[in-house]
Amino acid sequence: MSSIILMVLGLGGMALGFFVYSKFLAHVVFKLSDSFKTPAEEFEDGIDFVPTNKFVLWGHHFTSVAGAAPIVGPAIAVIWGWLPAFLWVTLGTIFFAGVHDFGAIWASVRNKAKSVGTLTGEVVGGRARAIFSIVIFLVLLMVNAVFGVVIAKLLINNPGAVVPVWGAIAVALVIGQAIYRAKMSLALVSIVGVIALYFLIYIGPSMPVSLPESVAGLSPSAAWIIILFVYAAIASLLPVWVLLQPRDYINGLQLFVGLAALYAAVLIANPTVVAPMINVDVPAGTPSMIPLLFVTIACGAISGFHGLVASGTTSKQLAKESDARFVGYFGATGEGALALAAIIAATAGFASLADWQAMYHSFGQGGVLAFVNGGATILSAGTGLDMAVAATMLTVMAALFAGTTMDTGLRLQRYIFQEWGEIYNIKWMAKPLPATLLSVGTCLALAFGAGGADGSGGLLIWPLFGTTNQLLAGLTLLVVTVMLVRKGSPTFYTLAPLVFVLAMSLFALLIQLKGFYDKADWFLFTMDLVVLVAAIFVTLECIAALKRAKAEMRLSSAGD
């Protein structure tokens, strides 16, 4: 099987989705209007509410939602064969992720940039909001705690990535000042910024940085995790234009350059896909493809975390409502392109089927390692790039996106605590600094309290991330659908994906529940049960709200 065929079909389908389907959604479903005053204009404060150029905002949204997940999920899911992963990523991007991200931004912008959790309270009801906020908090806790571990491991395994990963922060700070203070040309700043990033990637392998075996009594992994959370706390308190926006924007450009290089290498080398189309000989212990495929690949097809970013930070920076299509739908398209690259690297970056099977000897194997090793092999074969430099480039790509997701995730977690402070009249919690400290504290408590001295506790509840995250996506689409009903807009285009995602997620939760019971893993069994009950309750509440909205529309039509 030629990898070029996968690339052309996948990217071609996603391009059609953006240029055709997203226009239909903008005009017929969401009915965007630039006469509508966005929250960024109405509440501009120079900190969180900042009207932003759509290209810069796209960079923020895209890199915040991308992270390492669209690499890890697809590069694990190919264990069932390349075809199921390819179809879910391609069709999911077009009909699921694009609609979800676009719709979440629109819904938040139309409601003063309120988060999806707050919107649930207004659109569905207070009880649903209270329970939904627990699901949201769990997703953010999982993302922040786990990505800290992921980045720490990447920096330890590839010391040559340390200089470019941390150097990118300095580049972002300069870019923010150049764009907002010096008012320099965005094109010029973008070119210089990308050159600076790739120069850092080039010199990284020659300047490796490794932490000593003990840092104040901590292991290198634990030390990196604490350093990362200190940085993320500072970043979450800074105005978005100082670091968050420019860091996400330049990382977005860097990713597209990296993806272009990888796809160009595919065109030149045309590596053969050695993995089976459908793997009928999966390793022992591999779960059923249905429904686990649809929760193993979340980011890259559809992800509830995107709705948190869309309604948490992106909606506060949208300058014009029409920009929601480019930022939301095209942001999802960019992530789909990354997931497709991960599939190609993890199936065509091996010399033989035996080599591929050696990597995928059990479920959960592959992931970032398969992407970096396979992608570096393709890059080296297609462009002549040194293997060490190619591996560093892909490692930095993964680490930078995990870092930007962690930045945004901690800021969103801070927003959750602030919202709780306002809802329950806890004045000190509603302030940014205490809310940030609570966010960092809960993440570190999970990391070290559950994981011990190495800080890997976030991995303990990670098995629940896929299902919890996809449930969040379905519930976000439910909120958007209720809003569309009340506005008299077509609902099929959000209702169809939400029914599918909720069904697959609930099915997966039940399968996992049985698995945890069989293993006598009572902690995860309890967590799974809590998420399952919460999801069912919020779903019933949303269905009731949907029925009420339809009844209100019928009464309104009868009155007219």
Side-chain angles (χ1 to χ4, degrees), residues 276-328:
M277 183 170 69
I278 301 288
N279 191 6
V280 296
D281 187 25
V282 295
T286 301
S288 170
M289 182 177 69
I290 297 175
L292 268 298
L293 170 73
F294 304 104
V295 296
T296 301
I297 301 179
C299 299
I302 182 172
S303 165
F305 180 73
H306 294 200
L308 301 184
V309 175
S311 65
T313 57
T314 304
S315 62
K316 295 178 175 65
Q317 302 168 60
L318 201 74
K320 298 187 297 182
E321 192 176 54
S322 60
D323 290 347
R325 169 179 166 260
F326 182 83
V327 174

Side-chain angles (χ1 to χ4, degrees), residues 181-199:
R181 288 285 175 84
K183 306 296 183 183
M184 294 176 65
S185 164
L186 181 62
L188 175 62
V189 171
S190 302
I191 293 170
V192 173
V194 170
I195 292 173
L197 271 184
Y198 275 93
F199 175 73

Side-chain angles (χ1 to χ4, degrees), residues 148 151-163 166 207-228 448 454:
I151 300 169
K153 286 186 175 181
L154 286 170
L155 296 179
I156 292 170
N157 292 336
N158 193 337
V162 174
V163 168
W166 290 101
M207 301 175 63
V209 177
S210 298
L211 293 180
E213 287 300 313
S214 178
V215 181
L218 298 171
S219 68
S221 176
W224 274 128
I225 290 170
I226 291 175
I227 292 169
L228 286 163
F448 291 95
D454 68 348

